[in-house]
Every structure is written in C-alpha cells, then in structure tokens.
Amino acid sequence: MTTLAFIGLGNMGGGMAANQAAAGRIVRAFDLSAQALQKAEAAGCTPCASAAEAVSGADAVITMLPAGKHVRGVYAADILPNAKEGALLVDCSTIDVDSARAVAALSSDAGKGFRPADAPVSGGTAAADAGTLAFMVGCEEADFAPVQRLLEPMSRVTLQAGSSGAGQAAKICNNMLLGISMIGTCEAFALAEKLGLDAQRFYDISSQSSGQNWSMTAYCPVEGVGPQSPADRAYEGGFATAMMLKDLRLAKQAAISSGGVTPLGGHAEALYAMLSEQGLGDKDFSSVIELLKRGTVT
Ligand code: NAD
C-alpha cells in the first residue's frame, strides 16, 4: 500500500488529501493550521506533528502550498533532510518557474535518488473535492508514469509538459492566455452594449464567427447568455480575480527572467489589479466586464 505525505491542507489540499485517503492510501498529513489538520484527520488522513515527521518513511510527498517561498522553505527544512531515499517529490502548488526549477535541482543534488516533479493543477476547489483536477507535469520522462499513478485519485487528466519547471510554465502560459482572452471577450460584449447590440444576438453571431473563444462559449461573462457560468450567480464561485492576478504576476516574473515579451499579459495584470483594488478580488475573474461597463478603467 502506498504511504504518502501531504503537506498543505488548505482549500485545495484538504480535498485532494481526502481523495488520496478515500483511495485507500496511507496519508501522513501536515498543515500549520490545526483546523485544517483536524479536517484531514476526519477525512481519513493520519495527522503528523510536523512536515519532517510526515515525510519520514513516506514513498511519496505531495505539497500544496501558497507560493514559491513556502515550497522552497519546506523542501529545504523538512523534505530533503527527512524524506525516504528514492521518494517521489511532487509539488502541486502554483509557483514561479524559477522556484520550481531550484527545488528540483536541490532534490536531484541531495544524493538520495529523489524523483522531483512540479505538477500544478487546473480546476478549483470543486474539482479538488471531486477528484477531477487536470495536472500538468514537469519531470524526468521515466518518472512520469509513477507520478501519474500517484495523482490518479485526485485527477481527471494528467499530462506531461516536459522536464522540471515545464508544468509551471504550461500553467502560467495557459492562465495568461485565459486572462487576456476573457478581457477581450468582455470588451467585445461591453462595446456591443454601447452600440445597442443585443448580447444574445452578438453571442449567436460571434460564437460562430472568428471571435469565438472558450471565455465566450464555455464561460460567458454576461448573465443569461451561453451555458451556466459565474455571471449567472453574480460572479460568485468560479476562479477568483485574486488567483488570476497571482498567475499573471507569475507570468510577468517568468517573462522578465526569460526575456519574454508579454505586453497584453501586462495590461491584463493591471486590469485585474484594478478590479482587486475595487474590492472585487474574491469575485470570479469574468467580473472584469463590470469594470469595463462602468468605464472606470484608467
Ligand atoms: P490555501 O491558502 O487555502 O492553503 C494553503 C495551506 O498551506 C494553508 O492551509 C496553510 O496553512 C498551509 N501552509 C502554509 N505554509 C505551510 C508550511 N510551511 N507547512 C505546512 N502548511 C503550510 O491555498 P489553496 O487555495 O489551497 O491553494 C494552494 C495552491 O494551489 C496555491 O499555490 C494556489 O495558487 C493553487 N491553486 C489554487 C486554486 C484555487 O481555486 N484555490 C486553483 C488552482 C491552483
């Protein structure tokens, strides 16, 4: 039976660890929050007093932490000194590409045969709870199959993006494109309204024309138009603007460190930052249409 350590049992990690336990695996869980740890215990995980204790003896370690600094800290202080020889070390957090590569290099250089992978997810807390996340993985070719088996109870699909850091690169490039395409879709609907064009008729035409895109046809930002989306519930739930802003900042950081040019990514970041400053950081990111309709973009 697989024994794994799970570190970071928050909004995402809590449901993910529960799905590992439900699949019959021994889950040695740790979080700084006592409340998160109690919830994990109720879901069948074994609570541990520290990250170091959780990883000792585990065949695999999964981390689901807020940002690069937390991942670097836990790897340096707890995981690398205490994990079992040959363990799979899989970080599912969304972090900067440089930290993901640094952590993988430290793991490989530890001389204990560790097999590191970055495996950020697409899908929010509902998918984490349901075990239907999409994982994009950066790791050595030979490690992909075991990583895929490890992630299976939490996943709908697991795809290999390339070597270390490639999972994070795929995640931020995809989310930068999503952030930009959502703003483009919102601008088109907002202008259509100004021009007196009915939103449903514009949708019917554009969704069958060259402007068609996922933000329009799967996640329409206009209430009552297209399939059910956060726009139909006052932009509650969905993918929070604050999360989109985090990913766009990671994309900017990656562009700076790699010499990439992402002018529209920069504009998108500024618009979502403005939305956050107006107190809408918790709303779904498609609520950016409200900003455009209000005409308060500076
Ligand atoms: P969260 O803040 O709810 O959970 C993070 C958990 O990590 C917290 O419970 C915190 O106590 C714990 N933690 C922090 N430092 C720790 C340490 N040193 N040792 C042990 N535990 C520690 O965040 P979340 O929403 O679960 O997101 C986790 C990651 O997943 C982030 O990188 C986020 O960007 C990414 N993500 C989130 C979503 C989402 O919809 N929430 C979607 C996709 C990806």
Side-chain angles (χ1 to χ4, degrees), residues 113 275 284:
L275 199 58
D284 182 74

Side-chain angles (χ1 to χ4, degrees), residues 60-290:
V61 177
I62 298 177
T63 39
M64 194 55 172
L65 296 164
K69 64 177 182 196
H70 307 94
V71 175
R72 282 180 187 253
V74 169
Y75 265 73
D78 303 293
I79 299 177
L80 299 181
N82 297 294
K84 188 169 143 183
E85 199 136 318
L88 272 183
L89 306 180
V90 183
D91 178 41
C92 297
S93 329
T94 301
I95 64 170
D96 58 288
V97 176
D98 290 341
S99 287
R101 292 196 172 132
V103 155
L106 284 174
S107 305
S108 301
D109 294 347
K112 291 168 80 176
F114 292 140
R115 294 170 292 156
D118 50 292
V121 305
S122 177
T125 51
D129 291 345
T132 56
L133 292 165
F135 289 85
M136 37 210 113
V137 182
C139 67
E140 292 296 320
E141 196 72 43
D143 297 333
F144 180 65
V147 168
Q148 200 173 23
R149 280 195 296 278
L150 175 69
L151 301 178
E152 200 278 325
M154 313 186 290
S155 64
R156 173 173 56 79
V157 64
T158 299
L159 300 166
Q160 186 168 18
S163 57
S164 295
Q168 298 294 350
K171 161 98 188 176
I172 57 167
C173 290
N174 178 72
N175 280 19
M176 184 182 76
L177 177 57
L178 172 64
I180 293 168
S181 71
M182 178 55 81
I183 292 170
T185 301
C186 290
E187 281 190 14
F189 274 104
L191 180 60
E193 186 179 284
K194 287 267 182 233
L195 297 173
L197 191 54
D198 176 70
Q200 182 62 54
R201 284 182 192 251
F202 174 60
Y203 176 88
D204 292 343
I205 292 166
S206 194
S207 63
Q208 297 187 68
S209 304
S210 50
Q212 186 277 334
N213 71 91
W214 187 91
S215 298
M216 175 184 286
T217 53
Y219 209 95
C220 189
V222 179
E223 185 186 358
V225 179
Q228 280 283 315
S229 71
D232 298 311
R233 39 178 199 271
Y235 303 102
E236 294 297 339
F239 185 52
T241 290
M243 289 280 176
M244 174 55 83
L245 189 54
K246 172 187 171 180
D247 291 352
L248 286 167
R249 286 180 172 151
L250 289 175
K252 180 162 84 179
Q253 193 179 338
I256 291 168
S257 83
S258 66
V261 179
T262 55
L264 288 183
H267 282 308
E269 183 207 336
L271 282 171
Y272 291 115
M274 214 180 283
L275 199 58
S276 269
E277 281 154 19
Q278 294 187 11
L280 295 173
D282 292 340
K283 297 265 188 188
D284 182 74
F285 76 116
S286 62
S287 64
V288 70
I289 195 167
E290 300 285 309

